[in-house]
Amino acid sequence: MLRPPRRLPRVPRRSAAAAAAGPGRRLLLSTPIFYANGPPHIGHLYSALLADALHRQRGLRGAGPGRLSTGTDEHGLKIQQAAAAAGTSPPELCERVSGLFRQALAQAAVSFTDFTRTSEPRHQRAVRHFWGALQDGGALYKGSYEGWYCTPEECFLPESQLAERRDAQGRPCKVSLETGHQVHWTKEENYMFRLSAFRDPLRKWLQDNPQAISPDPFYQHVLRWLEEDLPDLSVSRERSRLQWGIPVPSDSTQTIYVWVDALVNYLSVVGYPETHGEWWPAAHHVVGKDILKFHAVYWPALLMAAGLAPPERIFVHSHWTVRGQKMSKSLGNVIDPFACFSQYTVDGFRYFLLRQGVPERDCDYYDEKVVKLVNSELADALGGLLNRSTALSINPSNTYPCFSESCFPKIMDYRGTKAVGRASAEDYEFVASVASLPLQVASYFEGFQIYKALECVALCVRQTNSFFQRHKPWKLNRKDPAEKLWLDTIIHVTLECLRVYGTLLQPVIPHTADKLLSRLAVEPEERSLSSLTFLPRYNGKPCPFEGRQLGPDTGVLFHRLEKSRQHQAEAQKL
């Protein structure tokens, strides 16, 4: 029998390469690998879109080599049972469901570089090696374990996390307080991981790295967990009960716990055990709050025990409800991403989830909300602005017109300034808002507050529409030289704003942003965030776009959405 280590482990040091900051450093961004017992829903999609937006934004900043990993978790009792219920084998079920996830993520324009399946030989080899590292470090021992086991969550739960309920037959039973899933008393001999030995190292890791878990409420939550008892963790299951999984090396009577198996995907994807040092621990995990303990307590402790450093950051998000109710198969309200792409377009639905999703709290989905937001902010505000400012009636030459410094002279402090040239004090305030937008957006992305970044962009789009409406360029006489200077300046400022918005929105609505920037004749090499400047002519610098012929008119930027027929019918009944 293996004995637990007597001395508390130390947090492994980060490699110099991984600790290096600044441009050129590598970074792995990851979604959870999704459990392959059923098709994807919008909760899965939300995780993937958050990671995708971060990955795209980092690439546009030219921050260095990056990877975005995702995939499917294909082992465990839940899949074994789901396959039996469906009258198929676990490999056949996983092949089909994994294909659905890959299809959904590709259709959603998730720019993943790696798609891991835990049934792959390369992953299983990594898991066996990781198990060996835990064993060699003395972190595993065999012991008898009993407790309340929740099959849907694949974990044991303490009494404090249980509630008394009645099952479908009216018999008393125990369920998980958080999920409502029924639990069953289970007793078996398993391999145990001495999690209790890692409480102080985990605390030290978090205290030394206050940004390790974001947003802060989840960081505080993990610290509170570490104040409670941290019992040793059962990390295997009896093979007689669970055949669908990776056998414990040198013990064919046991199967490696599905969560240990699944978490190692973050290492296997970067070449563990040979080449992972080129990437690890420069990893940022995006996870749902329901799997926070697995990622913020169990995973760092397992890594430390195997002689590896914890990941740099864990970004945590909350869940989506549907009209105030939790999504569940029994309620029939699980939202199909494929139906949403068809109804709202890919970019429309990406925008809704990233604009409305607030990581700190659960967010609500319903059809009218999507239609109202997307029509208001993409079709009307952004699309309408592009259409109005590029219309041949206002811009007959179809060019990026010249900026007049006499009409819009630079002033050092716009606050309290009265009108200068043709520009009003309100115009100076608006231009200052747009000038500060790129840094503001970058800061919100860094803080995992993408919804706030989009809120700022939407506000500036509204301000630009107000600027355009305020000065009514359609009423100006292009034949009058003075009027023409001001007319061209209004259009120049508006197009510069649109160029900034198009550039900043690329990580969120890539197709629409590409269409917008192509209409403005912004070349692919001119779309990076690192070189983004706004209104250089205002600062006395040349503008490379001035005088350039605009790109082809490809029609409406974003077509207005219609409410689904189902909800139209419901509205008529009211």
Side-chain angles (χ1 to χ4, degrees), residues 6-25:
R6 292 182 180 178
R7 288 189 301 171
L8 291 178
R10 298 171 66 183
V11 182
R13 291 185 178 181
R14 295 178 180 273
S15 67
R25 83 179 195 110

Side-chain angles (χ1 to χ4, degrees), residues 78-89 93:
K78 193 160 49 169
I79 284 173
Q80 189 173 295
Q81 292 175 349
T88 187
S89 68
L93 175 70

Side-chain angles (χ1 to χ4, degrees), residues 184-429:
H184 300 278
W185 187 259
T186 304
K187 181 178 181 179
E188 57 186 38
E189 188 176 57
N190 295 328
Y191 283 92
M192 305 295 293
F193 170 65
R194 192 172 180 190
L195 184 63
S196 55
F198 290 85
R199 183 152 65 167
D200 285 345
L202 286 169
R203 279 184 188 153
K204 180 170 178 9
W205 165 58
L206 289 176
Q207 286 160 0
D208 291 348
N209 299 277
Q211 296 297 310
I213 300 167
S214 296
D216 186 65
F218 296 114
Y219 173 81
Q220 299 299 334
H221 201 77
V222 175
L223 285 176
R224 286 196 296 275
W225 276 336
L226 295 175
E227 294 300 317
E228 301 168 3
D229 285 341
L230 204 61
D232 290 353
L233 181 67
S234 170
V235 288
S236 71
R237 300 288 178 264
E238 287 181 352
R239 192 80 183 161
S240 58
R241 196 163 67 88
L242 174 60
Q243 300 85 45
W244 183 238
I246 302 172
V248 167
S250 73
D251 188 346
S252 59
T253 68
Q254 296 280 313
T255 300
I256 295 174
Y257 177 38
V258 65
W259 266 105
V260 175
D261 171 358
L263 288 164
V264 175
N265 97 87
Y266 302 124
L267 291 175
S268 65
V269 75
V270 289
Y272 181 82
E274 288 87 19
T275 58
H276 61 284
E278 296 174 14
W279 293 87
W280 196 266
H284 293 180
H285 301 327
V286 175
V287 303
K289 66 179 183 180
D290 56 320
I291 53 174
L292 176 58
K293 181 172 276 188
F294 298 97
H295 283 83
V297 177
Y298 301 164
W299 179 226
L302 287 163
L303 285 163
M304 291 176 195
L308 296 167
E312 273 184 9
R313 298 191 74 176
I314 301 168
F315 293 121
V316 191
H317 66 79
S318 297
H319 296 158
W320 282 90
T321 56
V322 179
R323 294 186 180 275
Q325 290 185 301
K326 185 177 178 180
M327 276 191 288
S328 76
K329 291 176 186 175
S330 59
L331 290 173
N333 67 347
V334 177
I335 303 300
D336 175 13
F338 295 105
C340 293
F341 300 151
S342 173
Q343 190 174 342
Y344 310 122
T345 76
V346 168
D347 272 4
F349 201 53
R350 283 177 64 107
Y351 187 79
F352 169 76
L353 290 178
L354 293 172
R355 171 80 168 88
Q356 288 289 297
V358 178
E360 294 94 321
R361 62 175 183 267
D362 289 352
C363 301
D364 199 37
Y365 161 90
Y366 51 92
D367 176 69
E368 303 94 318
K369 190 176 183 181
V370 185
V371 172
K372 184 178 179 182
L373 175 83
V374 172
N375 281 348
S376 169
E377 296 189 357
L378 292 187
D380 297 344
L382 188 66
L385 184 63
L386 177 67
N387 186 51
R388 295 164 80 196
S389 57
T390 56
L392 288 176
S393 57
I394 283 194
N395 187 359
S397 64
N398 194 40
T399 59
Y400 215 101
C402 295
F403 177 88
S404 168
E405 292 170 7
S406 62
C407 291
F408 211 132
K410 181 173 182 178
I411 55 173
M412 297 311 293
D413 188 357
Y414 65 85
R415 287 162 293 196
T417 301
K418 295 180 181 177
V420 180
R422 299 288 293 266
S424 67
E426 206 172 352
D427 297 335
Y428 282 99
E429 192 174 341

